[in-house]
Amino acid sequence: MVEVGAHLIDVVGGSEETAEVVVSAIGVHKSFGQLAVLKGVSLEVKRREVVFICGPSGSGKTTFLRCINHLEKVDSGTIRVNGHLIGYREEDGRLVEDREAAIARQRREIGFVFQRFNLFPHKTALENVIEAPIQVRGQRPSEARDIGRTLLIRVGLEHKIDAFPMQLSGGQQQRVAIARALAMRPSLMLFDEPTSALDPEMIGEVLAVMKELALEGMTMIVVSHEMGFAREAADRMVMMDDGQIVEEGTPDHFFTEPTHERTKAFLSKIL
């Protein structure tokens, strides 16, 4: 909880707190033309769990994240967030793509932090953070500004509230992007290589914010090669290769006693 004037903001939560399982993916397939990228991926993520997905380039990690948010449409299989089908509805015993308005409502529950920051260049840090709460959730501008300032303070940017993206470092821009996602009060946060576009000295400031969210109980799925962060913050490690999950386990098991040969080969190259 964060106190802002008369308001209490629970930035770890959202509107579906009763669901124990936040993400349930079953048999997800996705192809681009003749290239099969996801080949029957199944994964369950429980509330307050931090799941860290790693694997070589081209293994399907980013595509899987984008399917969870319906930025990519699955070819078969199902994904549910907080018990609700994402992107589709059942009609006469079959799945049909949902209406855009319904998909937009579903996405309110899912924060997405991209590799590239995707900030509006003509808006200040604060304006970037409050845009979606006002336009999508219908929040009063005064309330959105109060919450936005609190979130920017929370990610260490109290002195950059009125700065434009071009006036910010990469690490600062990514922290604005995290604050922007949190402003929608999501029940799930997805991170797609959030530090890969940053200079080495800026990586730590972004990981520190992510670690704080993990400690506070935010449900998170993180795609990254930051293995030090994974050891500290992850509840579960997931290894993907060639469009499939080949191994899962606790960080202790994953880093010290991996069982799959592909996991062993991957870790030997990056550690």
Side-chain angles (χ1 to χ4, degrees):
M1 287 282 189
V2 179
E3 187 171 357
V4 183
H7 306 290
L8 286 175
I9 313 162
D10 184 359
V11 292
V12 177
S15 59
E16 300 288 349
E17 285 292 346
T18 58
E20 176 62 23
V21 175
V22 178
V23 179
S24 176
I26 301 175
V28 175
H29 288 258
K30 174 65 180 178
S31 296
F32 296 100
Q34 298 300 311
L35 178 63
V37 179
L38 299 177
K39 305 174 183 178
V41 174
S42 296
L43 182 69
E44 185 176 277
V45 179
K46 294 182 179 179
R47 184 159 303 284
R48 305 179 74 87
E49 189 175 21
V50 178
V51 174
F52 197 97
I53 302 178
C54 62
S57 297
S59 59
K61 308 183 300 295
T62 291
T63 298
F64 180 56
L65 278 196
R66 291 175 63 85
C67 286
I68 293 174
N69 205 30
H70 202 62
L71 293 174
E72 298 289 352
K73 303 175 184 179
V74 303
D75 296 329
S76 62
T78 59
I79 298 175
R80 284 179 166 84
V81 174
N82 294 315
H84 304 302
L85 276 170
I86 292 297
Y88 299 89
R89 67 182 186 276
E90 292 181 296
E91 196 172 276
D92 298 327
R94 62 190 182 92
L95 295 181
V96 297
E97 189 167 13
D98 216 338
R99 302 177 185 87
E100 188 57 42
I103 295 171
R105 284 195 298 272
Q106 294 169 338
R107 286 184 178 142
R108 295 178 187 179
E109 298 294 326
I110 307 170
F112 204 127
V113 178
F114 299 86
Q115 177 179 347
R116 296 290 177 179
F117 324 120
N118 293 349
L119 300 179
F120 294 115
H122 61 289
K123 294 182 180 291
T124 66
L126 180 60
E127 289 169 342
N128 267 280
V129 171
I130 68 176
E131 176 77 9
I134 293 173
Q135 299 299 327
V136 178
R137 283 200 179 274
Q139 202 168 63
R140 295 193 307 274
S142 59
E143 181 181 4
R145 283 192 293 271
D146 285 344
I147 295 172
R149 289 190 186 96
T150 297
L151 289 171
L152 287 169
I153 291 169
R154 179 183 181 181
V155 299
L157 293 175
E158 60 272 18
H159 58 302
K160 297 292 185 179
I161 287 174
D162 296 318
F164 290 91
M166 66 177 296
Q167 299 171 314
L168 302 174
S169 70
Q172 290 169 338
Q173 290 186 60
Q174 193 62 293
R175 284 184 281 158
V176 172
I178 293 172
R180 176 182 59 185
L182 291 174
M184 291 293 287
R185 298 182 61 219
S187 59
L188 169 68
M189 285 284 285
L190 307 177
F191 293 87
D192 183 20
E193 299 281 6
T195 61
S196 63
L198 303 179
D199 294 333
E201 65 270 21
M202 299 176 186
I203 291 174
E205 60 193 46
V206 173
L207 294 181
V209 173
M210 293 172 62
K211 185 176 180 180
E212 181 182 347
L213 289 176
L215 291 173
E216 292 176 359
M218 174 63 76
T219 308
M220 298 164 59
I221 303 177
V222 182
V223 168
S224 177
H225 293 298
E226 296 291 342
M227 294 297 143
F229 173 76
R231 284 179 184 267
E232 293 182 14
D235 296 302
R236 182 155 43 109
M237 299 293 300
V238 173
M239 172 71 184
M240 288 189 68
D241 185 49
D242 192 27
Q244 298 175 305
I245 293 176
V246 298
E247 186 158 0
E248 295 183 55
T250 65
D252 283 345
H253 165 80
F254 188 84
F255 288 111
T256 61
E257 298 180 276
T259 57
H260 198 283
E261 291 302 318
R262 190 64 188 90
T263 307
K264 295 176 184 178
F266 177 76
L267 290 176
S268 70
K269 293 179 180 178
I270 65 171
L271 294 180

